[in-house]
Amino acid sequence: MTSPTPKETITAAMSRWAAGLRFEQLSSEAVHQAKRLLLDSLGCALGGYQQHDVKIALAVLEEIAGDGPATVIGSGKRVDPVSASLANALMIRCMDYNDIYWKQDPSHPSDIFPAALACCERARSNGKELIVGLVLGHEFEMRLCEAAFPGIRERGWHHATLTAFAAPIVAGRALHLTWEQIQHAIGISASRHCTLGAVTAGKLTMMKNTVDPMATQSGVLAALLAEKGYTGPEHVLDGKEGLTHVFKPDWKLNLLTDGLGETWRITQCGMKAFPTEALTHTSISAVLDLVKSNDLHPDNVQKVQIRSLARAADILSDPSKYDPRTKETADHSLPYVIAAALVDRQVTPAQFTMAKILDPNIREQLQKVEVVADPEIEKVFPALQRVIVHIDTRDGRSFNKQLDFPKGDPRNPLTDSDIEEKFAALADGVLTSAAQKRVQDVVWNLEHVGSVAELMALMEAESLRPRAVKAVTKRRMKRSKRS
């Protein structure tokens, strides 16, 4: 009797497609969105380079990282790809200001960009190859977010668990691994990197923004091991004691491979107009609109009621969120961001310094904010990120606003100019205006760039740069004209 042919695992199908993907197969919309997200992420990284948690991480990497071909944003140091991917991903993530996708699970797929950057530098690849890597990360991270019912966050796990599956695909493709090697890389990374949701529950710490960069780092290490012949479990996703077996109950694994290449998930990913947790954005947008359009002053506001999802009431307004003492807790506190919006009429990185977080004028507003879980709003999520805001004033007036999605959502996207302005604001203090313009020009013309190293050479802080970048820019412009 002939034994039945084993069914191909899901990771084999994913790896086979990723290994064969070519730039020419991408839609023009996907290419443009990859550039938009890259510029947004590089801005976040330049802002992140100035943050305290990044400085700590860079000090540790200074001690343990080896020399290599991959560039660390800000410092300009060239180190091994594993260390560079961690450093750069932490810079992108640490301000909670990069992209956002939320279906069954939330995620920030651009956290994986540094895997593509570091491995493309190692492989001496061009801009087209980088774009392929950027698109791949969004494709599989977003599909992984859609596949679990309910999402793994609702089961107590963090989405970095899913990034550990997507990052090795990006790194493996950038290193030109075979599909079998990419499959092994997925098994290596994912089988040892499940992340507890504790990092985003209650009082938050620096780990809130670090676990996803660590998953990206894991993917790069796994790809390098697989390149040398290291093996990992092929059934890590859909086999015995794999993800779907352990993380029950329901998974629609067909969502990971159905229609690959027909549409591109990257075009459906949002960007952040505020450096805060994603579920705060619609509330911030609605409150700012009411405050500005009606000229409401905080001393005349009696109460602000936010009707939102149960998870917003649970995660974003538990007792610790009414007394934030760290940046990480403040940017995940719905009461704090609403209080800041009332007082400052804006929510930007400037609202998350310790001086601002402890500002008595802002803290006075915190107890005015009530967050209510609304079952009707639950029914329309995630298609809509609806909130209903009700503001009562001390002089007897009431104001109401319902908003279904925030600025930055694909249905109300940031414009290219918005992204350039955000990039400039974040890069200020690290790059001069002229240097910022050079980075923007390279990103918008990325498919004509002959080496990813040229882009990364522009990401060094001006105060640290001993060399001019004119030669690099001239070479890129000549190639662009020839194309």
Side-chain angles (χ1 to χ4, degrees), residues 240-435:
K240 180 176 173 57
E241 298 184 7
L243 182 73
T244 58
H245 183 185
V246 174
F247 277 54
K248 302 166 181 177
D250 297 320
W251 292 79
K252 296 182 180 179
L253 293 181
N254 63 296
L255 295 178
L256 298 178
T257 54
D258 282 358
L260 281 170
E262 295 176 9
T263 59
W264 303 95
R265 289 300 198 277
I266 197 168
T267 64
Q268 302 168 29
C269 190
M271 298 183 192
K272 288 191 170 187
F274 309 108
T276 63
E277 200 276 343
L279 286 180
T280 68
H281 285 209
T282 315
S283 299
I284 295 170
S285 298
V287 168
L288 285 174
D289 182 66
L290 287 175
V291 167
K292 292 178 180 179
S293 61
N294 296 286
D295 195 24
L296 300 179
H297 293 270
D299 56 356
N300 194 33
V301 171
Q302 184 171 8
K303 182 179 179 180
V304 180
Q305 184 188 78
I306 308 289
R307 303 190 72 84
S308 186
L309 297 166
R311 69 197 79 182
D314 176 37
I315 299 172
L316 305 178
S317 58
D318 63 48
S320 69
K321 305 306 189 299
Y322 280 89
D323 185 27
R325 298 281 168 173
T326 65
K327 178 184 77 69
E328 293 81 9
T329 303
D331 66 32
H332 270 53
S333 165
L334 194 46
Y336 177 79
V337 299
I338 297 305
L342 287 175
V343 173
D344 290 347
R345 298 194 177 193
Q346 62 178 4
V347 180
T348 72
Q351 275 63 55
F352 296 97
T353 64
M354 284 310 301
K356 273 292 180 185
I357 292 169
L358 299 177
D359 183 339
N361 292 326
I362 291 179
R363 297 189 80 82
E364 187 180 346
Q365 314 305 316
L366 287 166
Q367 298 304 320
K368 297 178 182 179
V369 181
E370 178 188 32
V371 183
V372 177
D374 189 324
E376 295 304 310
I377 290 176
E378 206 78 41
K379 291 177 183 177
V380 300
F381 183 83
L384 300 177
Q385 298 174 37
R386 178 172 294 166
V387 299
I388 300 171
V389 174
H390 182 85
I391 299 179
D392 291 326
T393 63
R394 299 188 187 280
D395 56 12
R397 293 177 295 162
S398 293
F399 302 91
N400 296 282
K401 186 174 184 65
Q402 175 180 306
L403 196 60
D404 286 341
F405 41 80
K407 180 69 173 175
D409 184 274
R411 291 159 291 190
N412 184 22
L414 298 182
T415 65
D416 290 357
S417 295
D418 289 335
I419 295 168
E420 288 180 346
E421 289 174 10
K422 179 180 171 182
F423 173 84
L426 288 165
D428 187 44
V430 183
L431 299 183
T432 64
S433 297

Side-chain angles (χ1 to χ4, degrees), residues 10-31:
I10 293 290
T11 57
M14 295 163 69
S15 301
R16 195 188 302 276
W17 183 79
L21 182 63
R22 297 293 177 263
F23 175 82
E24 291 71 24
Q25 297 171 251
L26 305 178
S27 70
S28 58
E29 185 184 10
V31 171

Side-chain angles (χ1 to χ4, degrees), residues 92-150:
I92 289 172
R93 183 81 202 102
C94 73
M95 298 178 72
D96 212 341
Y97 209 1
N98 57 325
D99 64 351
I100 176 65
Y101 185 68
W102 199 318
K103 280 294 179 75
Q104 300 304 317
D105 274 302
S107 74
H108 310 279
S110 65
D111 291 357
I112 306 175
F113 280 5
L117 290 165
C119 292
C120 278
E121 280 199 276
R122 182 178 183 272
R124 300 181 180 179
S125 295
N126 60 24
K128 288 183 178 180
E129 278 294 295
L130 176 58
I131 291 171
V132 169
L134 306 183
V135 171
L136 271 176
H138 277 71
E139 192 68 31
F140 285 117
E141 178 93 345
M142 291 163 70
R143 285 173 176 265
L144 283 159
C145 286
E146 297 167 21
F149 295 81

